[in-house]
Amino acid sequence: MRKLIIAGNWKMYKTIGETIELANALKRQLYDLGSETVDIVICPPFTSLSEAAEVVIESNIALGAQDMYWQEEGAFTGEVSAPMLKDAGVKYVIIGHSERRQFFSETNDSVNKKVKAALNYGLIPIMCVGESLKDREAGLTFKVLEDHVTGGLKDLGPEQVEKIIIAYEPVWAIGTGKTATPAQAQEAHKFIRDLVIKLYNKQTGELLRIQYGGSVKPENTKELMGQPDVDGALVGGASLKADSFSSIVKSSSEVKK
Ligand code: PEP
């Protein structure tokens, strides 16, 4: 039985003060949710990570970052490394989000280097994969998913893949208000799990947690999370307000599989 994991990707929103306010509100609203039902993660921008860590320390909310560089340190102006994230109290790191692929030239190769570096330093990568609308309309959804999954996991062993989280995020559903239907999400998640079983083995595929991301809201959470191969959500817009994110987390915790 895979535990659901709900992560909020705050993107380039929230100052330090706003981060403290939102993290405190989430802590208040979610304090009584048993950690056995669902993992809760918030991913504020780099500038607010340390302050967010102070708020969520010893709570049922874990901290994630939105990206990292694969080198440990050096002359890489503007970058942040895995040990720096660990030092700030981070446990998870989003890698290869479609916005990074689209606007910052992220490739399967850079995603793979970042995933390996994150694992080497004890961070849990949330590796994003997903097709564009053009890909879907051209019938290329599974081909793109196969490229993203095989490219991102290149040279990793099964015991490493078991630690990773994959987020299936159809690009056409991100920030657009268009959600994949539960059947579309299930189909893509099953494809990814079967691919991992083919590339590794049954146990690795069955342990792998696959989140869905793309306009997840309180109203569509239960149906999406109820799909057999959907193991959580990566939430953008709806994670920026305490009420909507808490409601998504609470609805997920009530889902029976
Ligand atoms: C995301 O940024 O990962 C995302 C899924 O955004 P939204 O929920 O706003 O579509």
Side-chain angles (χ1 to χ4, degrees):
M1 182 61 185
R2 295 176 296 266
K3 192 175 171 190
L4 292 177
I5 172 162
I6 309 297
N9 172 16
W10 293 7
K11 310 195 189 199
M12 201 173 72
Y13 292 100
K14 307 293 176 191
T15 59
I16 294 173
E18 290 164 347
T19 294
I20 294 171
E21 203 178 310
L22 178 52
N24 269 314
L26 290 171
K27 214 167 102 169
R28 274 195 306 274
Q29 295 186 7
L30 296 170
Y31 80 95
D32 59 346
L33 209 68
S35 57
E36 65 289 345
T37 50
V38 52
D39 285 325
I40 312 165
V41 184
I42 54 169
C43 305
F46 289 137
T47 46
S48 319
L49 285 172
S50 300
E51 284 79 3
E54 277 179 37
V55 176
V56 299
I57 197 163
E58 285 173 19
S59 78
N60 55 354
I61 302 174
L63 194 60
Q66 299 174 20
D67 186 30
M68 53 165 266
Y69 193 53
W70 60 81
Q71 296 280 359
E72 182 177 313
E73 61 179 10
F76 303 105
T77 302
E79 294 295 326
V80 170
S81 71
M84 290 169 182
L85 295 181
K86 286 282 284 189
D87 186 41
V90 166
K91 182 169 175 192
Y92 296 86
V93 57
I94 300 171
I95 292 177
H97 191 280
S98 62
E99 286 152 15
R100 297 223 55 91
R101 293 180 191 257
Q102 193 181 344
F103 303 125
F104 303 99
S105 313
E106 193 85 77
T107 62
N108 288 332
D109 187 47
S110 60
V111 168
N112 179 242
K113 288 191 172 110
K114 291 180 181 188
V115 167
K116 284 180 188 157
L119 288 168
N120 281 342
Y121 288 97
L123 290 168
I124 301 174
I126 299 178
M127 185 181 94
C128 301
V129 302
E131 81 288 358
S132 66
L133 185 59
K134 203 161 142 235
D135 297 330
R136 181 163 276 266
E137 286 175 348
L140 294 173
T141 298
F142 295 141
K143 157 123 193 22
V144 171
L145 292 181
E146 185 159 359
D147 284 352
H148 284 180
V149 172
T150 51
L153 300 183
K154 195 163 148 265
D155 301 328
L156 293 179
E159 64 298 332
Q160 290 175 299
V161 175
E162 284 164 22
K163 292 192 187 118
I164 291 174
I165 290 153
I166 292 186
Y168 167 60
E169 298 210 303
V171 181
W172 49 270
I174 296 180
T176 58
K178 275 189 210 146
T179 319
T181 63
Q184 282 171 322
Q186 169 57 25
E187 184 187 40
H189 283 228
K190 171 115 177 49
F191 174 83
I192 294 168
R193 195 176 311 287
D194 287 346
L195 176 61
V196 170
I197 290 173
K198 196 170 93 188
L199 293 171
Y200 294 91
N201 58 61
K202 199 161 163 51
Q203 175 183 300
T204 302
E206 280 174 359
L207 286 173
L208 176 76
R209 291 194 287 178
I210 308 174
Q211 292 177 311
Y212 167 77
S215 300
V216 173
K217 312 180 252 277
E219 310 84 70
N220 58 27
T221 300
K222 272 207 170 148
E223 226 192 323
L224 284 162
M225 296 306 114
Q227 301 304 307
D229 287 291
V230 176
D231 310 312
L234 182 55
V235 186
S239 72
L240 296 172
K241 292 231 159 58
D243 287 353
S244 51
F245 190 65
S246 296
S247 160
I248 289 169
V249 172
K250 285 183 183 164
S251 297
S252 303
S253 74
E254 288 159 11
V255 169
K256 300 268 176 297
K257 298 242 198 187

